Amino acid sequence: METVSKYFGCEVFNDTVMKNSLPPEAYNLMQRTIKNGKHLEIGLANVVANAMKDWAIEKGATHFTHWFQPMTGITAEKHDSFISPVSGGKVIMEFSGKELIQGEPDASSFPSGGLRATFEARGYTAWDATSYAFIKDNTLCIPTAFCSYGGHALDKKTPLLRSMQALSRQALRVVKLFGNEDVNFVDTTVGAEQEYFLIDRSVFDKRKDLIYTGRTLFGAKPPKGQEMDDHYFGAIKPRVLSFMKELDEELWKLGILAKTEHNEVAPAQHELAPIFTTTNIAADHNQLTMELMQKIAKKHDMVCLLHEKPFAGVNGSGKHNNWSISTDTGKNLLNPGDTPAQNAQFLLFLCAVIKAVDDYQDLLRISVASAGNDHRLGANEAPPAIVSMFLGTELSEILEAIENDVAYGKKEKELMRIGVHTLPKFPKDSTDRNRTSPFAFTGNKFEFRMLGSSASISDANVMINTSVAEVLKQFADQLENSPDFEKDLHDLIKKTISEHKRIIFNGNGYDDKWVEEAEKRGLMNLRSTPDCIPYLLAPKNVKLFSDHKVYSIEELKAQCDIQLEVYSKVINIEALTLLNMVNKDILPAVSGFVRELSAAYNQKKQTGLSLDLSYEEDMIKELSSLSGELYNQKSKLEKEMEKRESFEDMNEKAVFFRDVILAGMNEIRRTVDSMEDKTRSSAWPYPTYGAILFSVK
Ligand code: ADP
Ligand code: MG
């Protein structure tokens, strides 16, 4: 095997490849285009496309595709081959600049929330030149954004790129206040830690619920779950290890900086953490990571579950979005720094994030809302549905000292004068770390921990970037042209802390008392997807997005509709799957077992020996009564399901699915799980939780 440094990025048309394959002039122009996010001229595009094609063909590629991320949250691609016919029944391989910069996938079946009227069936894709092209499955993939001809975003990438620009614009104004004239733009960086489950293919294939919905709709509690805490960071099983090894290699070939792989809390649960990179690239890489996890698991006769809650009563999977802001000169703006000036700038950026999270709690909550993630948030394993921030004791004490103009310091107490005094060093080790906080400061970045494992990270970053951009704008407006910068800066920081400290909570987010406390503080607690999505259209949010040119009102309405529609669709599929399982497998299986018990009962009786019949008698009674109950419950659910097409309003429909359908499913599940506990193992139609969770030996 070659060394990693040799094959790292070998499937990527990256800077080194461009340098080697493009004429110097074209290379320089391309560099500039990437740096300034400028439109690619057709002349240059032709040169680049040709070099890209030659490179790709040499690597065995036969097709190309515009790779994009429709609003479904997964990726889409349509493959075209490079072939072009010439005389004599021959073909040559062609790829033009036009084909590189713009594509026209027939997009009519991607959700658009009404943005793309049917007469305008086509949207177009445009190359995001900041994200390198790469080869996957013999296909040259060009990362693109996807828009309607009216210019509306039809994907997750377009708003993300817009939000990065918005943040850069405003952050630039702020860094200039601190004399950083050499900065040209500000980037947001993200490292997305990904959790997932691996189970054996043979058990997966026997569970319709996993196949159709990605999660188990039934399953009695196994004798052993995660209570021993013996899986977390435990020794990795050989089969899983060989999966991880192959995954790392494939990711590295694609230039993805997979860094650490370890076991997670639940049995069969694992995590992968990459090294951070620019946000849009991190989003692309996370999509590729999820795709490769599923593909490679199959090769190892396993299935990778990315659902947020595959198993009730067992920890679900999330994604941690580590986020920071850095200048093109390489300075991390959330790094406290060593000098008073750096500290002052850090405090201002910190306050901007605090105010942004407080002012736009609803948006952060919306960005992680899905039917799957609703099972996690607030279920004592993931952060609660309430958005709050963790800063750690040290930093919180400093903010408190600033707010109250009191002395700070363990030994020599001194008044913190921003821009004059230096901040103490913050401990970076993980002891001072709160695992239950939704939004935690971890030394030089924030970790947003509410994302579901299957989600695209784009939505969350759109919200963070745009809300922070807005606060930075307000700050810059106030501080630019200030006659006494130091004083105004101090006052602004002080005011921000005092007005927004309610969002800071360093305690245990899993504690029920926090829910009460948060309510007293006036924080939002938006428990489910239908509860939070409508806030997307709150006037303050519409204004935010239009001021920063991230979403138009039409795009927001479309977002809203799509999210609610997807929510209803997911539960609809789950309910249909559940009913199928009850009707075709569970009721017949239990009935068969009761028949078997009855036969045993009769045979024992016929012996005339007055044998103890209590087991048979009790089980026949209990299971018959549970079957009757289940039959009624499922008939009721079937009746309710008939109403599902009658809703005009998307939100009413989503609420119906939550309050009626999902509630009915939960009721049914309780009955089924207690039937499972009473039925002979081999008579039960599905692998049990124990068999699934411990299926990978
Ligand atoms: P921790 O000790 O907080 O776990 P790590 O260095 O292991 O820190 O980082 C956890 C994740 O955070 C990784 O994905 C890492 O790349 C990411 N990360 C680190 N620094 C930054 C940053 N400046 N911006 C975004 N993500 C970052
Ligand atoms: Mg983490």
Side-chain angles (χ1 to χ4, degrees), residues 193 271 320 322 435 447 449:
E193 298 165 76
E271 184 188 286
H320 289 175
N322 294 274
R435 291 273 149 213
E447 190 169 340
R449 304 202 182 109

Side-chain angles (χ1 to χ4, degrees), residues 75-276:
T75 58
E77 43 195 79
K78 174 191 148 215
H79 297 187
D80 279 309
S81 75
F82 290 122
I83 62 166
S84 171
V86 287
S87 61
K90 298 223 177 252
V91 293
I92 53 166
M93 303 298 257
E94 267 189 352
F95 183 47
S96 69
K98 191 166 164 289
E99 286 171 309
L100 167 63
I101 49 183
Q102 188 164 318
E104 292 190 21
D106 179 9
S108 45
S109 53
F110 294 112
S112 74
L115 281 180
R116 187 180 13 73
T118 30
F119 61 84
E120 210 195 322
R122 277 158 182 271
Y124 71 91
T125 50
W127 185 26
D128 163 20
T130 57
S131 185
Y132 298 132
F134 57 90
I135 295 174
K136 181 169 69 78
D137 302 329
N138 297 325
T139 301
L140 171 67
C141 300
I142 298 143
T144 55
F146 180 36
C147 292
S148 77
Y149 272 104
H152 294 303
L154 293 174
D155 68 347
K156 296 204 177 266
K157 177 166 244 181
T158 309
L160 180 63
L161 293 170
R162 292 175 186 162
S163 75
M164 291 166 67
Q165 277 165 13
L167 187 122
S168 180
R169 259 195 306 273
Q170 304 305 332
L172 207 51
R173 292 174 64 195
V174 173
V175 295
K176 298 247 150 115
L177 293 171
F178 290 87
N180 300 299
E181 291 300 330
D182 53 339
V183 178
N184 290 309
F185 62 87
V186 174
D187 247 342
T188 55
T189 50
V190 165
E193 298 165 76
Q194 176 74 47
E195 291 180 341
Y196 60 98
F197 279 87
L198 279 181
I199 63 171
D200 193 87
R201 180 114 184 228
S202 63
V203 287
F204 174 87
D205 286 342
K206 293 190 187 114
R207 298 268 332 196
K208 289 179 194 168
D209 44 5
L210 284 176
I211 294 171
Y212 296 131
T213 75
R215 74 177 179 108
T216 53
L217 300 171
F218 307 109
K221 217 171 147 18
K224 178 179 189 282
Q226 62 193 55
E227 46 284 280
M228 304 293 286
D229 279 334
D230 52 355
H231 191 254
Y232 193 48
F233 277 65
I236 302 174
K237 295 181 177 120
R239 250 181 103 186
V240 174
L241 209 56
S242 78
F243 159 86
M244 286 177 173
K245 185 169 174 288
E246 185 171 345
L247 177 63
D248 279 342
E249 280 166 14
E250 292 304 316
L251 291 172
W252 290 334
K253 284 186 199 163
L254 287 172
I256 298 172
L257 297 153
K259 176 79 176 166
T260 43
E261 306 247 16
H262 64 79
N263 286 353
E264 260 299 327
V265 177
Q269 193 183 30
H270 311 280
E271 184 188 286
L272 179 144
I275 296 173
F276 68 97

Side-chain angles (χ1 to χ4, degrees), residues 189-193 273-276 322-324 332 433 442 444-445:
T189 50
V190 165
E193 298 165 76
I275 296 173
F276 68 97
N322 294 274
W323 178 92
S324 194
N332 178 353
R433 189 170 283 190
T442 49
N444 60 0
K445 62 183 184 294

